[in-house]
């Protein structure tokens, strides 16, 4: 079991997500005394008799004033059993792009629903995004269970509906857990509630502390996007040439044979430097400086990779994108693709499919993709780039689509991320009805 869990929360507006996160922080005693005093004062100013725990999360003034979450907020807390990095993402459909950002590195997603409303459109959209990004495990927190009198039938209906949707997205049933909670009162968040005697599962924190976590696959092929070339040219280091960056995937050791892409240059790792001294090996997530046996023409944007298992170097590839701009995407659009530390010009040569995350169906050859829509596209770049399939490597299989005119982010893209054709997949819709898929099912979560 890993001692660190990266999780992301998602849910619709007013489902109580910020309160739930605040409750986790509060009940695990992860809040500084002065911060808690400020929350007590702000709550009293609003005429509240108990602290508004959502204020622990909604840090922006505009968020506090509107009572909604806008930006992704990263929170860090720990228990004796595990440490946590929590990405609290917005619930409003307008900020789905932020949900994509927060979930991109998550090992588990916590989806909230209001027990009075059940599974709604935004719930299904968030589940589809988490599946598309390869988040391997889900928790459905059925919040505000106190407002339906802790009714077991209501919880069971919502849990059944969500499980049906999640399994249709490709999740195994044992990867989805449903928990009845009241974030406001604390029921089943950290402490077990005696008001849900019919529920014999874990509290939310118990599940977070014990859920199996797949650590970063250090045995994956080594990938290292070069961020900066270090050439001190000092008396002490006249000939030093190091390549700084963060290991995106796999492990590198002194003596390993590498290739530099897209040029295809070959060399051997002779040293691995860090601010704390040299290492004999480095793994994914570590920031290091690599020293090579040969003086090569390497610059920011190049990728250093395992010579035995290099990524594909290509100027044409298919990708799945979540469109994040108000401006629709149409065939022939000229954009920038940011992959790793390299940014290249590109053209969208074809829109292959558009996916309906509500019905788990697709439309072939759509005219456009609009805000928050998911689709598969064909891209051609102005120069070859080294890419991995997203299902093989989340870090080097992901990219951003950028507007060349103003630098704004247009889409999050996943190289390949095939969406298998599974005719006749049932998906639950709002109110408990079912809709029949007429074409393709969405992507199964990756490892």
């Amino acid at each position: 079991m890993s001692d660190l869990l990266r999780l992301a929360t998602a849910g619709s507006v007013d489902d109580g997500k910020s309160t739930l996160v605040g409750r986790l922080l509060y009940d695990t005693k992860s809040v500084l005394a002065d911060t808690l005093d400020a929350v007590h004062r702000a709550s009293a100013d609003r005429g509240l008799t108990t602290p508004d725990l959502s204020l622990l999360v909604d840090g922006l003034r505009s968020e506090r004033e509107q009572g909604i979450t806008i930006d992704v907020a990263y929170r860090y807390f720990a228990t004796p059993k595990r440490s946590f990095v929590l990405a609290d993402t917005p619930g409003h459909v307008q900020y789905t792009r932020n949900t994509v950002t927060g979930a991109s590195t998550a090992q588990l997603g916590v989806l909230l629903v209001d027990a009075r409303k059940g599974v709604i459109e935004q719930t299904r959209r968030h589940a589809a995004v988490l599946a598309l990004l390869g988040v391997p495990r889900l928790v459905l927190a059925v919040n505000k269970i106190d407002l339906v009198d802790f009714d077991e039938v209501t919880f069971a209906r919502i849990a059944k509906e969500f499980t049906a949707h999640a399994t249709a997205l490709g999740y195994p049933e044992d990867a989805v857990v449903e928990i009845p909670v009241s974030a406001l009162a604390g029921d089943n968040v950290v402490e077990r509630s005696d008001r849900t005697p019919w529920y014999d599962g874990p509290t939310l924190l118990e599940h977070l502390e014990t859920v199996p976590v797949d650590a970063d696959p250090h045995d994956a092929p080594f990938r290292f996007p070069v961020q900066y070339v270090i050439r001190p040219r000092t008396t002490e280091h006249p000939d030093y040439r190091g390549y700084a960056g963060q290991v995106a995937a796999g492990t590198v050791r002194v003596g390993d044979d590498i290739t530099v892409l897209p040029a295809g240059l070959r060399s051997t790792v002779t040293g691995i430097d860090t601010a704390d001294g040299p290492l004999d090996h480095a793994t994914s997530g570590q920031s290091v400086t690599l020293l090579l046996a040969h003086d090569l023409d390497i610059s920011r944007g190049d990728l250093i990779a395992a010579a035995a298992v290099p990524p594909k170097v290509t100027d044409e590839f298919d990708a799945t994108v979540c469109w994040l701009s108000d401006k629709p995407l149409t065939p022939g659009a000229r954009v920038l693709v940011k992959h790793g530390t390299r940014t290249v010009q590109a053209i969208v040569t074809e829109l292959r499919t558009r996916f309906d995350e509500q019905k788990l169906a697709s439309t072939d050859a759509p005219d456009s993709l609009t805000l928050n829509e998911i689709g598969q596209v064909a891209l051609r770049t102005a120069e070859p780039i080294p890419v991995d399939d997203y299902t093989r490597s989340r870090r080097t299989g992901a990219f951003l689509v950028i507007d060349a005119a103003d630098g704004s982010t247009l889409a999050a893209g996943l190289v390949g991320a095939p969406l298998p054709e599974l005719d006749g997949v049932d998906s639950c819709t709002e109110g408990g009805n079912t809709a029949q898929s007429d074409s393709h099912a969405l992507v199964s979560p990756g490892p």
Side-chain angles (χ1 to χ4, degrees), residues 427-442:
S427 170
C428 293
T429 59
E430 195 167 347
N433 298 322
T434 59
Q436 188 77 9
S437 168
D438 58 10
S439 185
H440 314 308
L442 273 174

Side-chain angles (χ1 to χ4, degrees), residues 129-214:
V129 168
L130 293 173
L132 181 69
L133 292 172
V135 178
R137 295 179 181 274
L138 294 181
V139 173
L140 181 72
V142 182
N143 193 26
K144 304 185 182 181
I145 195 71
D146 52 317
L147 298 185
V148 294
D149 296 324
F150 300 93
D151 183 47
E152 179 181 6
V153 174
T154 299
F155 171 75
R157 173 181 55 80
I158 295 172
K160 180 180 179 181
E161 181 177 350
F162 181 77
T163 298
H165 187 73
T167 53
L169 287 168
Y171 282 99
E173 285 194 20
D174 61 0
V176 183
V177 173
E178 298 88 5
I179 303 174
V181 302
S182 170
L184 187 64
D187 297 87
N188 294 328
V189 180
V190 171
E191 301 294 336
R192 185 172 297 277
S193 174
D194 58 8
R195 297 191 284 184
T196 54
W198 41 266
Y199 174 71
D200 58 3
T203 66
L204 177 59
L205 183 62
E206 287 172 350
H207 181 66
L208 297 181
E209 287 181 324
T210 58
V211 62
V213 173
D214 296 327

Side-chain angles (χ1 to χ4, degrees), residues 10 38 67 135 138 172 179 191 199 266 276 303 321 328 360 414 431:
V135 178
L138 294 181
I179 303 174
E191 301 294 336
Y199 174 71
R266 300 289 290 266
D276 298 320
L303 180 75
V321 298
L360 302 183
L414 315 176

Side-chain angles (χ1 to χ4, degrees), residues 375-391:
Q376 198 158 38
V377 304
L379 285 162
R380 185 171 69 244
T381 55
E383 55 191 78
I385 58 175
V387 296
D388 284 298
D389 192 284
Y390 184 79
T391 58

Side-chain angles (χ1 to χ4, degrees), residues 187-254:
D187 297 87
N188 294 328
V189 180
V190 171
E191 301 294 336
R192 185 172 297 277
S193 174
D194 58 8
R195 297 191 284 184
T196 54
W198 41 266
Y199 174 71
D200 58 3
T203 66
L204 177 59
L205 183 62
E206 287 172 350
H207 181 66
L208 297 181
E209 287 181 324
T210 58
V211 62
V213 173
D214 296 327
D216 289 339
H218 299 320
D219 58 348
F222 169 61
R223 304 289 187 260
F224 184 84
V226 176
Q227 295 182 7
Y228 187 71
V229 179
I230 299 177
R231 294 290 309 279
R233 293 189 178 95
T234 62
T235 303
E236 185 180 0
H237 302 287
D239 301 316
Y240 187 96
R241 185 194 297 261
Y243 308 100
Q246 185 179 79
V247 180
T251 299
V252 61
R253 293 177 173 83
V254 174

Side-chain angles (χ1 to χ4, degrees), residues 30-42 55-57 75:
S30 302
V31 184
L32 297 175
D34 56 346
T35 301
L36 190 57
D37 288 343
V39 169
H40 278 285
R41 289 195 300 271
L55 296 176
L56 293 172
V57 178
R75 307 294 172 183

